[in-house]
Amino acid sequence: MTDQRPIHSAVLVKQVPDTHNVTGEVMTKDGTMNRGALPAIFNPEDLNALEMALDIKERTGGTVTVITMGPPKAANILRDCLFRGADRVILLTDRKFAGADTLATSYVLQCAVQKAGPFDLVLCGRQAIDGDTAQVGPQTAEKLGIPQITYAETIIEITSTHVTAERALDSGSEIVRCTMPVLLTVVSSANTPRPASVRRQMERKLAAVPSEYAAIRAQWPEFESDEALDAFLTKRGLKIPVWTAEDIGATEGSIGLAGSPTQVHKVNFVVLESTESKTIAPTAEAIKAMIAELVHEYIVG
Amino acid sequence: MSEKQSIWVFIEHTDGVIADVSLELTGKARELGDQLGFEVVGLLCGHEVDPLAQDVIAHGADRVLLADHEELALYRTLPYARVAIEEARKRKPEIFLIGGTPNGRDFAPRVASALRCGLTADCTDLQIGDYYVKKEDKTYKDLLFQIRPAFGGNLIATIVNPHTRPQMATVREGVMRKPAADAARVGVVEKIAPVFEPGDLVLQVLSRQVRKSTIKLKDAPVIVAGGAGVETADEFALLRELANLLGGEVGASRAAVDAGLIDRAHQVGQTGTTVRPRLYIAAGISGAIQHRAGMDQSSKIIAINTDPNAPMFQIAHYRIVGDVGEVLPLIIKTLRERSMDQREAE
């Protein structure tokens, strides 16, 4: 494109419990869940969104800013973003954010994107594996007052004003062209996320939020005080900014539990109905008898 | 405008045919509407789609809001959302149900955000009930109970929206049963004339390719499904062989899809297809609730797993503790021998 200009992207990411790998140790004897036993991971499709943003930046120039809302330990995935090539990362953390449903979450993200921006593109994963709702992307777009392209798989063209993208749908695909700014939600088939670069890992390994300073100083005693470490990190652009509800100007009634129209009425542990069942030995005779029974009941023709 | 409280259903359609999920939800809305004394309203956006309105009525709607406009010819988020948001603000529906299709999942959160109301994704059941809020010492009567597996599927959560309207929920295709059409049913078709702003039309659809699905999981009489316990492509080929022998289809758990062993179109479960076959063979599927929610209505279930504690065994009619790679060939051999015996007998 002759009229190409730098494209500035925001990527919204989430740290999630690894619900895909629920193992025996995670379930307690009474059928409840030991959440602490689940490792926290980078939501997989958010990595695809980051990769798409980094790829666009390589084609057009510009910047990639990553924003996450979560507890202080979500700084882990922000460091990962820095290692993979993000220019800037921001952690949104505040006790007041707790208990947010997708509507309250999208409001916080809207406030943060508006404070950190302006951006040409806002990208996020199609959905997070801990809820699979796919709601936060479109809700954030609506609050930002910008259009949305969900299920984005390929960026076909990007100009100074428009983006053309292919959407991957269950029933086929669709090519759409839209003005910027626009929010895209990215599917896992979009790309293969690049790994962290070793060079950046070396350069940025100390990147931290202030609540991690004590742990860093335990490992690097040459920093005599939190202030000294803070000055060191700030100078090198390695201090990960932490924004609270107040910092982003979020209205209290719209965040956290109070800002969430959905309420959990009750939670039932899954009680499996015991069906009349037979144990079949994995032998030819036993299986033959089982098939005969199914034939007799007209289950198998 | 009707004064009666209402339940809305978003009517999706492609090439002049209404999506099954929209008719399934119309049927569910009819049930809930009868229980609550509410009107059932289908929201039908499109261009030259008048003939579809009667189909919506035949499946249980009392009224169809028909927005006909050339800008609505193909689904696009902003024009469709504009119609829904403006009409919902005017008419204040109590409940709004949307199919959990890609476009339904694009549309519903956009609308919910604009209306500042709650939305629950991929419900596996919808009921009506009362909800007591201790803090307010108040009981909210006749709320929509939006029931879905949560947190990795180890829990079933009932979600309610006591303070905001409409109460919005998406439901995947196949979860609710499609009612029989009653061509004699009478309803009102009310035309609405949408007005768009330039900002609604900033996205153009340049092309659309519809892939005709070759697999018909939902209607398959037999499904042979594989999960994490099916580790190789060779073992997956056994599933295909067995499915072919039984005249069925191959299904999969999310684990198998994520591992790249099979296309997502084969996924059974809350975020895939809900099925009710005559026979469901779960090979190497541990049985997370999201998967079970999509198949536990099967008439007979055979579970094969090396782990005797796999939850799938608790809903199975036949439990086979063993390796998929060994058990499947035994079943295949037995079936082949049977068909040979039959041929000889003829």
Side-chain angles (χ1 to χ4, degrees):
Chain A
M1 287 292 106
T2 48
D3 60 347
Q4 193 56 64
R5 62 173 176 83
I7 297 295
H8 300 288
S9 298
V11 185
L12 311 177
V13 302
K14 186 180 186 186
Q15 189 180 48
V16 292
D18 189 1
T19 53
H20 279 190
N21 293 310
V22 175
T23 55
E25 297 99 76
V26 175
M27 300 303 294
T28 58
K29 278 191 183 131
D30 55 355
T32 63
M33 184 131 186
N34 179 7
R35 292 179 186 219
L38 280 179
I41 60 165
F42 205 127
N43 180 53
E45 285 181 327
D46 296 349
L47 279 173
N48 299 106
L50 174 64
E51 177 60 32
M52 189 177 272
L54 293 171
D55 181 58
I56 290 168
K57 180 188 152 188
E58 284 169 357
R59 284 154 65 176
T60 66
T63 57
V64 173
T65 299
V66 180
I67 301 173
T68 191
M69 180 180 101
K73 69 170 184 172
N76 283 332
I77 62 168
L78 292 179
R79 260 187 299 279
D80 194 358
C81 292
L82 289 171
F83 299 161
R84 290 172 197 256
D87 299 288
R88 177 188 179 203
V89 297
I90 299 158
L91 175 65
L92 310 174
T93 199
D94 195 319
R95 281 176 199 281
K96 292 175 189 151
F97 295 151
D101 69 3
T102 62
L103 193 78
T105 301
S106 65
Y107 170 66
V108 168
L109 292 173
Q110 172 214 345
C111 295
V113 168
Q114 282 172 336
K115 180 178 158 114
F119 298 104
D120 302 297
L121 298 175
V122 180
L123 300 99
C124 53
R126 176 189 53 134
Q127 62 189 36
I129 60 170
D130 57 344
D132 287 329
T133 72
Q135 288 171 191
V136 170
Q139 288 178 323
T140 305
E142 192 280 330
K143 291 200 161 44
L144 289 166
I146 63 175
Q148 67 197 43
I149 301 175
T150 54
Y151 294 79
E153 190 177 49
T154 312
I155 299 289
I156 293 171
E157 188 186 33
I158 190 157
T159 70
S160 59
T161 53
H162 285 75
V163 58
T164 305
E166 178 160 11
R167 300 177 70 207
L169 309 174
D170 295 352
S171 55
S173 63
E174 187 176 276
I175 296 175
V176 298
R177 182 169 183 269
C178 189
T179 54
M180 292 189 286
V182 58
L183 180 143
L184 296 102
T185 77
V186 182
V187 294
S188 60
S189 54
N191 49 47
T192 306
R194 70 193 63 193
S197 113
V198 175
R199 177 180 57 83
R200 276 192 292 264
Q201 225 162 338
M202 301 288 288
E203 287 168 3
R204 298 174 163 186
K205 65 183 171 189
L206 286 180
V209 295
S211 61
E212 295 172 313
Y213 286 1
I216 292 179
R217 286 179 53 217
Q219 208 186 338
W220 308 87
E222 52 266 53
F223 298 108
E224 283 167 7
S225 63
D226 282 1
E227 289 71 28
L229 176 58
D230 191 87
F232 177 88
L233 294 178
T234 304
K235 196 175 158 196
R236 285 161 184 76
L238 295 175
K239 179 180 176 182
I240 298 178
V242 177
W243 291 356
T244 62
E246 198 187 340
D247 294 330
I248 58 174
T251 313
E252 289 221 358
S254 301
I255 60 174
L257 211 49
S260 299
T262 58
Q263 297 186 9
V264 178
H265 168 33
K266 60 182 176 188
V267 169
N268 293 339
F269 299 113
V270 177
V271 181
L272 298 174
E273 289 172 40
S274 55
T275 44
E276 225 180 286
S277 71
K278 292 182 178 167
T279 301
I280 308 293
T283 64
E285 300 73 48
I287 282 172
K288 205 169 170 180
M290 175 184 80
I291 299 286
E293 209 171 285
L294 289 170
V295 170
H296 183 69
E297 292 176 32
Y298 300 104
I299 298 290
V300 171
Chain B
M1 196 185 303
S2 96
E3 294 297 317
K4 208 171 173 188
Q5 287 178 300
S6 59
I7 304 178
W8 285 19
V9 180
F10 177 58
I11 306 296
E12 271 194 74
H13 54 89
T14 315
D15 300 333
V17 180
I18 298 175
D20 273 353
V21 66
S22 301
L23 297 176
E24 291 161 10
L25 289 178
T26 304
K28 185 66 190 182
R30 176 76 272 149
E31 251 176 59
L32 299 173
D34 287 343
Q35 191 180 343
L36 295 166
F38 289 3
E39 184 178 48
V40 173
V41 176
L43 177 65
L44 175 58
C45 299
H47 187 41
E48 295 169 348
V49 289
D50 307 40
L52 301 185
Q54 181 52 40
D55 205 14
V56 180
I57 291 166
H59 285 85
D62 301 304
R63 181 184 299 267
V64 173
L65 294 180
L66 175 60
D68 188 299
H69 196 291
E70 57 186 11
E71 296 291 356
L72 297 170
L74 289 176
Y75 172 79
R76 285 183 296 166
T77 318
L78 298 182
Y80 271 60
R82 160 80 60 191
V83 173
I85 292 161
E86 300 222 329
E87 292 304 317
R89 280 188 181 139
K90 263 191 277 183
R91 299 166 192 261
K92 307 192 186 318
E94 280 289 305
I95 294 172
F96 193 0
L97 307 178
I98 299 104
T101 61
N103 285 340
R105 285 154 60 89
D106 179 88
F107 168 87
R110 186 92 196 186
V111 173
S113 177
L115 298 175
R116 304 288 183 265
C117 67
L119 168 65
T120 304
D122 295 336
C123 295
T124 51
D125 195 8
L126 297 171
Q127 294 172 8
I128 301 297
D130 297 342
Y131 173 61
Y132 174 72
V133 181
K134 199 172 174 188
K135 205 166 63 183
E136 303 167 33
D137 188 25
K138 182 174 172 187
T139 297
Y140 290 83
K141 287 224 166 283
D142 293 336
L143 291 190
L144 182 69
F145 282 8
Q146 303 148 44
I147 299 163
R148 79 182 303 258
F151 209 75
N154 300 283
L155 314 169
I156 298 270
T158 301
I159 313 289
V160 290
N161 316 130
H163 300 123
T164 55
R165 293 292 179 276
Q167 305 164 79
M168 292 182 67
T170 66
V171 179
R172 293 269 176 168
E173 181 180 336
V175 172
M176 305 298 173
R177 281 177 197 268
K178 186 163 107 180
D182 174 2
R185 255 189 75 85
V186 179
V188 180
V189 179
E190 187 180 340
K191 295 202 174 178
I192 46 182
V195 178
F196 299 113
E197 293 175 8
D200 295 331
L201 307 173
V202 293
L203 180 141
Q204 300 162 265
V205 178
L206 301 184
S207 70
R208 175 170 290 184
Q209 281 194 317
V210 179
R211 184 180 52 217
K212 285 273 175 264
S213 177
T214 49
I215 63 150
K216 294 192 177 65
L217 268 190
K218 205 173 77 161
D219 303 318
V222 175
I223 292 172
V224 184
V230 183
E231 284 166 350
T232 64
D234 282 353
E235 285 184 351
F236 237 92
L238 290 174
L239 301 181
R240 285 218 167 76
E241 192 180 345
L242 181 54
N244 289 342
L245 269 174
L246 292 167
E249 284 282 358
V250 176
S253 72
R254 183 172 181 161
V257 172
D258 285 349
L261 284 165
I262 191 161
D263 188 80
R264 194 165 294 280
H266 293 264
Q267 188 180 320
V268 171
Q270 186 203 4
T271 57
T273 306
T274 297
V275 296
R276 296 180 182 85
R278 206 162 65 217
L279 176 63
Y280 192 92
I281 302 180
I285 297 177
S286 62
I289 177 72
Q290 286 101 330
H291 186 79
R292 297 201 310 269
M295 49 66 67
D296 61 4
Q297 301 296 309
S298 307
S299 309
K300 286 281 184 223
I301 299 165
I302 300 176
I304 307 164
N305 211 301
T306 48
D307 174 8
N309 297 318
M312 184 61 85
F313 281 131
Q314 296 175 47
I315 61 163
H317 304 87
Y318 296 97
R319 300 182 301 249
I320 307 177
V321 179
D323 190 86
V324 169
E326 289 161 21
V327 174
L328 286 183
L330 283 175
I331 299 178
I332 290 168
K333 185 162 167 274
T334 309
L335 288 168
R336 284 205 192 288
E337 283 170 3
R338 273 190 54 80
S339 64
M340 277 173 62
D341 291 350
Q342 275 171 352
R343 235 170 282 153
E344 276 166 27
E346 284 160 15

